[in-house]
Amino acid sequence: MVEVSRRQAIEDVASDLFRERGYAATSIRDIARALSVQGASLYAHVTSKEDVLWAIVDRAASRFEAAAERAEGEAERRRPGDPAEAVAALVRAHVEVLTGDVDESGVFVREWRSLGPERRSAVLARRDAYEARFRRHIHAGIALGTFEMTDPAIAASALLSAINGLASWYDPKGRLPAGRIADHLVDLSLRMLSSES
Amino acid sequence: MVEVSRRQAIEDVASDLFRERGYAATSIRDIARALSVQGASLYAHVTSKEDVLWAIVDRAASRFEAAAERAEGEAERRRPGDPAEAVAALVRAHVEVLTGDVDESGVFVREWRSLGPERRSAVLARRDAYEARFRRHIHAGIALGTFEMTDPAIAASALLSAINGLASWYDPKGRLPAGRIADHLVDLSLRMLSSES
DNA sequence: CGCTTAGCCTAACGATCGTTAGTTAGGGGC
DNA sequence: GCCCCTAACTAACGATCGTTAGGCTAAGCG
């Protein structure tokens, strides 16, 4: 709630509303109402409704990418060439970003399809590059015998779907703290891939 | 394309549009245009836009429930009390329903939140009952030592998220036939839970 | 031939949508 | 005292939304 700028405050309430009602079902006036302001007033800070969605999605995407980059680096430094370590680090980083800002992440996961064609396909490409990180380590793990022989593309999609699903059911005030959930998801992910425990 | 009734034809094209653009971003006139008809003409067959969504979601939910019921029965008949057999049957049945009608299933997975409060919470309850089937078998498998000790609720959510993600990336004309994908997802699901291979 | 029914039409309703234009209120720096 | 900047306002634009009302056409059947 430490809104450094008005623009940030708008994106915050927009994240909240987009996440729970969806982008198309949320009007500019809905966002304005949550800020106790007239709808037209938002256009002093924002150029269009889609720009708000884009800002949210772009920032969330950057967060996931940066966290993954860092996680892969640290995994490589800890255990060079170990696919299980790399996947574990990626999953943990993903869960941390996701639970760190449920609204923003939820919008990123579910509402990016509402972007215009060019931005939409840009996001699609970034998502594929992100998923490719997982595919790469799974492929390496299979070659090493660490992972069970399987289809890396399907395994990566299933794995990412599993942890992205968290955006739909994670509750910050829920039974388990985010760290515990991350532990469980890392375990489940590795078991899903490993040839033995 | 064997439209036995006009109503069914409407729900078919609505499933298609709702799946690719979302319910809120699809207008009655969009649906009508796909049928080469005026928007108002649809109201001779349909009482409201939400009724169309409800019909799609309700039917998809019933399909999943019926398939799960049948799968659990057959698993119990084949290998009574075997949690792995039961989970495998549930996963395979789920994938079959999903790949059998991607549009309808995709709407069920992603657009049920757009329903009004009462129908929305009815769907939520049915989804939870469906997920409880998985939780039950996972719990039993842990008690038997067949499954690794883990949190059944988290495991069930992760598992269902993984296979529901299929609705977002499955392509009937894709690289692998539905049966092969089902095989992979059954394997991944069981490995995710099993204490040993 | 007349009746029914299914299916579609045009026209329009009030509401709401995203967005633009022009204006006002208040506060800090010169 | 003047200026400008930030942030809000009111009013309205054309478009589109879900939905209703009432009338037309064509096929099936006695």
Side-chain angles (χ1 to χ4, degrees):
Chain A
M1 283 302 168
V2 277
E3 327 153 1
V4 62
S5 76
R6 205 73 181 110
R7 165 79 192 218
Q8 189 56 53
I10 293 172
E11 289 175 13
D12 283 349
V13 314
S15 293
D16 188 15
L17 294 174
F18 288 170
R19 167 166 145 85
E20 72 180 39
R21 305 185 199 174
Y23 172 77
T26 303
S27 75
I28 283 286
R29 289 170 176 89
D30 288 335
I31 301 171
R33 190 175 307 114
L35 291 162
S36 305
V37 147
Q38 292 285 22
S41 302
L42 296 188
Y43 284 86
H45 311 279
V46 148
T47 66
S48 76
K49 187 190 172 190
E50 198 199 298
D51 266 357
V52 177
L53 175 60
W54 170 245
I56 295 168
V57 168
D58 183 41
R59 189 145 54 100
S62 299
R63 277 202 235 247
F64 279 109
E65 287 161 354
E69 191 66 38
R70 182 164 13 95
E72 278 185 326
E74 290 179 7
E76 181 64 20
R77 193 171 46 74
R78 260 196 315 265
R79 296 183 180 231
D82 183 344
E85 181 78 15
V87 169
L90 281 179
V91 171
R92 186 170 298 277
H94 191 94
V95 172
E96 276 169 9
V97 171
L98 205 148
T99 54
D101 193 328
V102 214
D103 289 334
E104 199 173 84
S105 301
V107 172
F108 172 63
V109 168
R110 271 199 304 273
E111 302 295 332
W112 64 273
R113 293 166 205 270
S114 299
L115 289 166
E118 68 302 328
R119 283 165 164 173
R120 185 184 151 124
S121 62
V123 172
L124 194 60
R126 287 168 80 176
R127 287 179 73 103
D128 184 65
Y130 188 83
E131 199 167 315
R133 296 173 189 266
F134 288 80
R135 281 199 297 270
R136 205 162 47 236
H137 295 300
I138 292 171
H139 193 83
I142 293 172
L144 284 174
T146 312
F147 291 158
E148 179 94 15
M149 187 59 189
T150 185
D151 187 309
I154 291 185
S157 291
L159 203 164
L160 261 170
S161 294
I163 56 182
N164 271 337
L166 187 56
S168 297
W169 59 265
Y170 172 68
D171 175 13
K173 306 181 207 26
R175 171 170 63 97
L176 292 176
R180 287 297 181 148
I181 293 178
D183 293 341
H184 277 108
L185 289 179
V186 168
D187 277 358
L188 292 169
S189 300
L190 289 184
R191 262 208 305 280
M192 183 167 131
L193 301 170
S194 294
S195 54
E196 65 207 287
S197 56
Chain B
M1 281 305 167
V2 277
E3 325 155 0
V4 61
S5 77
R6 207 72 182 109
R7 166 78 191 216
Q8 189 56 54
I10 293 172
E11 289 175 13
D12 284 349
V13 314
S15 293
D16 188 16
L17 294 174
F18 288 170
R19 166 165 144 86
E20 72 181 38
R21 308 184 197 175
Y23 171 77
T26 304
S27 75
I28 282 286
R29 289 170 176 89
D30 288 334
I31 300 170
R33 190 174 307 115
L35 291 162
S36 305
V37 147
Q38 292 285 26
S41 301
L42 296 188
Y43 283 87
H45 312 277
V46 146
T47 66
S48 74
K49 186 189 171 190
E50 198 198 300
D51 266 356
V52 178
L53 176 59
W54 171 244
I56 296 168
V57 168
D58 184 39
R59 189 147 53 100
S62 299
R63 278 203 234 248
F64 280 109
E65 287 160 356
E69 192 67 38
R70 180 165 15 94
E72 277 184 328
E74 289 179 9
E76 180 65 20
R77 191 172 47 76
R78 260 196 314 264
R79 297 182 179 232
D82 184 344
E85 181 77 16
V87 169
L90 282 178
V91 170
R92 186 171 297 278
H94 191 94
V95 172
E96 277 169 9
V97 172
L98 206 147
T99 54
D101 192 330
V102 214
D103 289 334
E104 198 173 86
S105 301
V107 173
F108 172 64
V109 168
R110 271 200 304 274
E111 302 296 331
W112 63 274
R113 294 165 205 270
S114 299
L115 288 166
E118 68 302 329
R119 284 167 163 173
R120 184 186 152 122
S121 63
V123 172
L124 194 60
R126 287 168 79 176
R127 288 179 71 102
D128 185 65
Y130 188 82
E131 197 166 316
R133 296 174 190 263
F134 289 79
R135 280 199 297 270
R136 206 163 46 238
H137 295 300
I138 293 171
H139 193 82
I142 293 173
L144 284 174
T146 312
F147 291 158
E148 179 92 15
M149 186 58 189
T150 185
D151 187 310
I154 290 185
S157 292
L159 202 164
L160 261 170
S161 294
I163 56 183
N164 272 335
L166 187 57
S168 298
W169 59 265
Y170 173 68
D171 174 14
K173 307 181 207 25
R175 173 169 61 96
L176 292 176
R180 287 297 181 143
I181 294 177
D183 293 341
H184 277 107
L185 289 178
V186 168
D187 277 358
L188 291 168
S189 299
L190 288 183
R191 260 209 306 280
M192 183 166 128
L193 301 170
S194 294
S195 53
E196 67 209 286
S197 57

